[in-house]
Amino acid sequence: MIKEAFIIGAGGAVGSVLRYYSGQFISKNYPSQIPLGTLIVNLLGCLLIGILLGYFAKNQGLSNEWKLLLVTGFCGGYTTFSTFAAENITLIQNQQVSQAILYIGLSVLLGLAAVYFGIMISRLFQ
């Protein structure tokens, strides 16, 4: 149990740091009316988790520790629902309701599509 917590924590720490710097880079270099840094990071995380889930589904002989490290830890730390929710509340409080709706729609629809395409990508390499 402690070993699993350490593995998840290690993956989460790396994912969280990478999320922060990726989001900052995107926001700084690609200003937008919506929180583009968080949107892109979450979509990349969705694509990656799809690839990983597809890979682990086909390679069940791999240890569960890799799945804990990469899926639960890294992807869990890299993507963030709480930031997404807070950014939408800020948009709504600033009377930017149409931007909030656009951001929510893009995040959900493109996130689902990214996971699906990630799974499809993983099938190409098997």
Side-chain angles (χ1 to χ4, degrees):
M1 188 128 139
I2 292 174
K3 180 180 177 183
E4 288 89 356
F6 177 76
I7 291 169
I8 294 166
V14 173
S16 294
V17 170
L18 187 58
R19 174 188 71 225
Y20 174 77
Y21 285 113
S22 298
Q24 292 296 309
F25 176 82
I26 294 164
S27 295
K28 178 182 175 187
N29 293 293
Y30 303 97
S32 176
Q33 294 291 318
I34 62 172
L36 194 59
T38 304
L39 176 64
I40 290 174
V41 164
N42 282 340
L43 293 176
L44 288 173
C46 287
L47 180 64
L48 179 59
I49 206 167
I51 291 170
L52 291 169
L53 290 174
Y55 180 80
F56 285 119
K58 291 289 184 181
N59 297 285
Q60 298 202 3
L62 293 173
S63 76
N64 190 48
E65 292 161 346
W66 281 106
K67 189 173 182 182
L68 290 174
L69 177 73
L70 297 173
V71 174
T72 305
F74 180 81
C75 288
Y78 187 67
T79 61
T80 175
F81 189 76
S82 57
T83 300
F84 166 74
E87 288 169 342
N88 277 294
I89 293 299
T90 300
L91 287 171
I92 291 167
Q93 288 173 337
N94 292 330
Q95 282 75 49
Q96 296 175 295
V97 176
S98 60
Q99 287 92 338
I101 292 169
L102 175 64
Y103 183 37
I104 292 166
L106 287 172
S107 295
V108 172
L109 294 175
L110 294 177
L112 291 170
V115 172
Y116 175 78
F117 286 123
I119 292 169
M120 294 299 108
I121 289 169
S122 74
R123 292 181 181 171
L124 294 174
F125 297 102
Q126 296 178 17

